[in-house]
Amino acid sequence: MERLLSICLLLIPLGAAAQISGPTSSSGTFTLQWGTTSQLVLREVDSSGTILDLHIGGSQTFTRSPGTYYFEEWWCGYLPYPFDEFRCVFIDDHQTFVSTGGPGGSNYPQSIREQTDYEYRIRSGDFDFNGRTDVFVERVTGGPQDGSMQSYIVWNNSNGSISTGAATGTYGQRARSAPINTVLNLLQSDVNADGFADHIIERVDQVMGSGYEQELAVYAPGTAQNKTVPQGSAQVTENFRSYFVELARWMNNENYFAENINNLFIPIFAYGYSCRQGYWYDSIFGFVDGGYCAPYVYFAGFRQVQYGVNFSSLSTSTHMDRAANAGTTPSENDLWQISQVARSVIGVHLFGFDINGNRWTTNNGGDDDAENRFNAFQAFVYFAMAAAEGESQSYPEHEHDYKVETSICSTTETWCTLANIACWARHFHAPDKQGGYDSPAENGDEAVLTGPLGGDNPIRVGVGTAAGLPENAIGQITQDGHVFHNDEMAGWPTCPQTVSQQGNGTPPPACNQVYREPYTQNGQISMRTRGTGENNYDWANDLFGPGTFEELDEDMIEAILNKADRLCPSL
């Protein structure tokens, strides 16, 4: 093989054999150069060598999101004797690792909430002339190719399968001229917890045929290398639905699987052969001494089988419980174990993992890897909760009670006073507040928080003595529409209420609330947070509440330290 390659290289013009030059690492935008002859092609490939794109011209500038990108230079042309045929010869390869940056000047410029506001137009027709109806989902909202969903075609293949691809060339032109489909409906949500809005296309069977499921999940490119097309799709089967629903049921009842697994003993039959001596008749030789064997089926015993639950959900719950018991932030191994089970159900990996177990930086938000893992895990749990929303009223309600304490500053600093920190706390009173933290909360204000799936979580805020609380305290209660709201709990003005500062086991008040208050102890001012109440998702609330407010306190500290005088802007 080396000899053959050497011969081929000798036959290629010397100017064509220039190697790829360019950076091996980048913050998002990089330029590669290779030979300039028209027969040289730069192939962009994935880690398995599959060709993603082709580039010619000898130089190309790329803008890429975090990840590792693979390139190969090939010479393609006619080789003279002894070959006398068209050949492509490998010249060189190159890898560039992108650590930060990407389209738009940041890792991923669009938040999950912004992505769920993208508009799409759906058309349908037979784009590849195979007699089956295909679907074209056209993105109307502009924006960069940052991992969010672009325009794509859903192919209705002749073998009865569904696949997705880019709307390019003749097929793309035909798709864009097809009539608008008014039957299909498009829902947007982050199914695989990578921070990019995926699509659930409803009523697929009415357009593509009764042999298909009613719904199809199409996954955004996300952390995959090719940002121009979906990274995959999966029909939403009953197994798909029950996977998430039963996870939500388990989160509301830790004994759910134990109480619903049924055992059944079924008989086992085996095959055997019965042989006996005898005579058989041959037309030439007449009766011949011999024997014959005949197969028979016999009972071999019983086998125990289990049924009644989704066993993929059961397996996932085991890993989720282990992650929860280890702390608020799951390990990468725990996430990988969950992802492997989920992929067998939904068709793609979770949390930014690729097929090889490498986890790429997601768009879930987070200043470091631990925050990214926390937020990605939270998004997965919230999607399971959302999938079971229709039956959540039948779940038992449980009390939740979590506590967080964060050291803010030392009282040796002139600006480190209770009044100053209490003022900052009115700005940073709740996580993911829409509109940001520039304005402080006033008593009776209503605010909207953005959930991990981009939904709205409305709250109402009580401030200080005006709300019947200590002077420096802030209390906030959930409103109708909040993921953790319980209509049966008391509301404004009965709540918010003062709760035990130390969190010493005092029963939570009759409202779903978060209580925040700075206090001084041993020369330090710390912020204590306690979330209490009763709702259907105590497991998720107790697990994610502490980490969410720890992040909020860290953001508040960063804002304080970034201000020259450290003083609250609204003082």
Side-chain angles (χ1 to χ4, degrees):
M1 180 65 187
E2 292 179 358
R3 177 181 174 85
L4 175 62
L5 180 59
S6 299
I7 295 174
C8 292
L9 290 175
L10 288 174
L11 296 172
I12 297 173
L14 293 178
Q19 293 181 326
I20 303 172
S21 64
T24 57
S25 63
S26 168
S27 61
T29 299
F30 56 95
T31 299
L32 298 181
Q33 295 178 327
W34 63 99
T36 57
T37 70
S38 60
Q39 293 169 306
L40 280 173
V41 176
L42 186 72
R43 293 181 179 179
E44 188 172 356
V45 299
D46 62 17
S47 58
S48 64
T50 301
I51 299 175
L52 302 177
D53 206 350
L54 299 176
H55 309 281
I56 58 175
S59 179
Q60 178 79 32
T61 298
F62 302 89
T63 301
R64 294 290 185 266
S65 300
T68 301
Y69 298 89
Y70 306 87
F71 301 89
E72 296 177 351
E73 182 184 10
W74 288 75
W75 181 92
C76 294
Y78 182 82
L79 289 177
Y81 180 83
F83 301 99
D84 289 329
E85 62 183 8
F86 186 88
R87 286 282 186 95
C88 286
V89 180
F90 172 80
I91 302 296
D92 188 25
D93 61 1
H94 184 86
Q95 295 183 18
T96 298
F97 173 73
V98 176
S99 56
T100 59
S106 61
N107 286 5
Y108 300 109
Q110 301 296 329
S111 69
I112 187 68
R113 179 173 181 81
E114 290 171 310
Q115 291 176 52
T116 54
D117 287 337
Y118 290 167
E119 295 183 9
Y120 294 85
R121 183 184 297 116
I122 302 179
R123 301 178 184 272
S124 61
D126 183 8
F127 308 145
D128 56 356
F129 308 102
N130 68 347
R132 293 169 174 260
T133 301
D134 308 304
V135 172
F136 174 45
V137 181
E138 182 180 18
R139 177 168 159 177
V140 179
T141 305
Q145 293 179 352
D146 58 357
S148 56
M149 198 72 89
Q150 306 296 316
S151 300
Y152 61 93
I153 293 178
V154 180
W155 297 108
N156 188 351
N157 300 314
S158 299
N159 62 2
S161 66
I162 290 177
S163 59
T164 56
T168 57
T170 303
Y171 295 141
Q173 294 176 4
R174 183 174 175 83
R176 286 181 169 83
S177 63
I180 292 178
N181 185 289
T182 58
V183 175
L184 296 173
N185 186 44
L186 188 66
L187 304 177
Q188 300 187 64
S189 188
D190 184 12
V191 180
N192 62 332
D194 62 357
F196 294 93
D198 308 306
H199 287 174
I200 302 291
I201 305 177
E202 296 183 311
R203 298 191 284 272
V204 172
D205 58 326
Q206 296 183 31
V207 174
M208 289 189 166
S210 58
Y212 294 111
E213 297 290 337
Q214 296 179 1
E215 298 173 322
L216 177 73
V218 182
Y219 301 102
T223 57
Q225 184 173 340
N226 188 354
K227 306 297 183 185
T228 65
V229 294
Q231 63 171 298
S233 61
Q235 296 188 59
V236 182
T237 63
E238 181 56 33
N239 183 48
F240 186 114
R241 297 185 190 92
S242 66
Y243 175 71
F244 289 104
V245 170
E246 294 199 12
L247 276 179
R249 291 173 177 170
W250 166 77
M251 283 188 281
N252 286 279
N253 176 11
E254 63 181 7
N255 297 316
Y256 170 77
F257 290 111
E259 293 172 353
N260 288 276
I261 288 180
N262 298 302
N263 294 315
L264 178 68
F265 292 91
I266 62 174
I268 300 175
F269 296 94
Y271 289 98
Y273 288 90
S274 174
C275 300
R276 63 180 64 185
Q277 287 295 116
Y279 293 94
W280 55 280
Y281 181 78
D282 183 273
S283 60
I284 298 177
F285 300 100
F287 286 97
V288 178
D289 187 16
Y292 66 91
C293 296
Y296 75 101
V297 178
Y298 66 94
F299 171 72
F302 289 95
R303 178 169 62 91
Q304 179 179 325
V305 296
Q306 294 180 314
Y307 67 99
V309 301
N310 187 308
F311 286 95
S312 294
S313 302
L314 173 59
S315 177
T316 300
S317 70
T318 302
H319 298 301
M320 290 173 61
D321 208 28
R322 183 172 61 190
N325 291 333
T328 58
T329 302
S331 69
E332 182 158 315
N333 181 62
D334 285 332
L335 294 183
W336 173 238
Q337 298 301 323
I338 295 171
S339 181
Q340 290 184 91
V341 179
R343 182 176 182 270
S344 66
V345 178
I346 69 173
V348 295
H349 275 294
L350 303 172
F351 313 127
F353 281 108
D354 62 21
I355 192 69
N356 299 314
N358 301 309
R359 184 173 60 87
W360 303 108
T361 303
T362 65
N363 192 35
N364 286 297
D367 296 329
D368 55 38
D369 185 66
E371 285 189 16
N372 275 313
R373 282 184 276 125
F374 173 86
N375 292 335
F377 188 37
Q378 185 183 42
F380 172 69
V381 170
Y382 272 50
F383 183 82
M385 292 163 55
E389 183 180 7
E391 57 178 62
S392 63
Q393 297 302 317
S394 63
Y395 291 158
E397 293 171 351
H398 303 280
E399 292 180 355
H400 65 271
D401 188 355
Y402 59 83
K403 296 165 282 292
V404 179
E405 186 169 304
T406 306
S407 177
I408 305 298
C409 57
S410 170
T411 54
T412 59
E413 302 283 352
T414 57
W415 54 269
C416 187
T417 65
L418 279 176
N420 187 38
I421 302 307
C423 176
W424 279 105
R426 288 181 173 89
H427 286 261
F428 290 83
H429 63 91
D432 301 312
K433 184 172 67 173
Q434 292 182 20
Y437 303 106
D438 291 338
S439 301
E442 302 292 341
N443 187 57
D445 280 355
E446 293 189 359
V448 178
L449 315 181
T450 299
L453 298 179
D456 292 343
N457 287 324
I459 62 171
R460 193 165 185 178
V461 187
V463 178
T465 56
L469 304 175
E471 179 182 4
N472 295 320
I474 292 180
Q476 38 212 358
I477 62 173
T478 63
Q479 299 284 80
D480 187 30
H482 192 289
V483 66
F484 292 123
H485 185 66
N486 180 355
D487 288 332
E488 298 176 0
M489 304 293 279
W492 190 275
T494 302
C495 297
Q497 299 177 8
T498 303
V499 299
S500 165
Q501 293 182 337
Q502 298 300 330
N504 59 3
T506 302
C511 44
N512 284 345
Q513 71 170 28
V514 170
Y515 180 90
R516 284 170 61 78
E517 182 183 17
Y519 74 100
T520 304
Q521 187 176 43
N522 300 326
Q524 292 282 324
I525 291 183
S526 298
M527 178 67 66
R528 59 163 59 97
T529 303
R530 188 176 180 194
T532 57
E534 182 178 286
N535 56 45
N536 297 324
Y537 292 106
D538 63 305
W539 185 92
N541 213 342
D542 282 333
L543 176 62
F544 296 118
T548 299
F549 281 96
E550 286 171 1
E551 287 187 21
L552 179 66
D553 287 340
E554 290 171 1
D555 291 341
M556 182 177 71
I557 293 172
E558 182 179 2
I560 293 173
L561 297 179
N562 284 338
K563 197 169 185 295
D565 59 7
R566 311 289 196 256
L567 295 179
C568 179
S570 55
L571 274 179

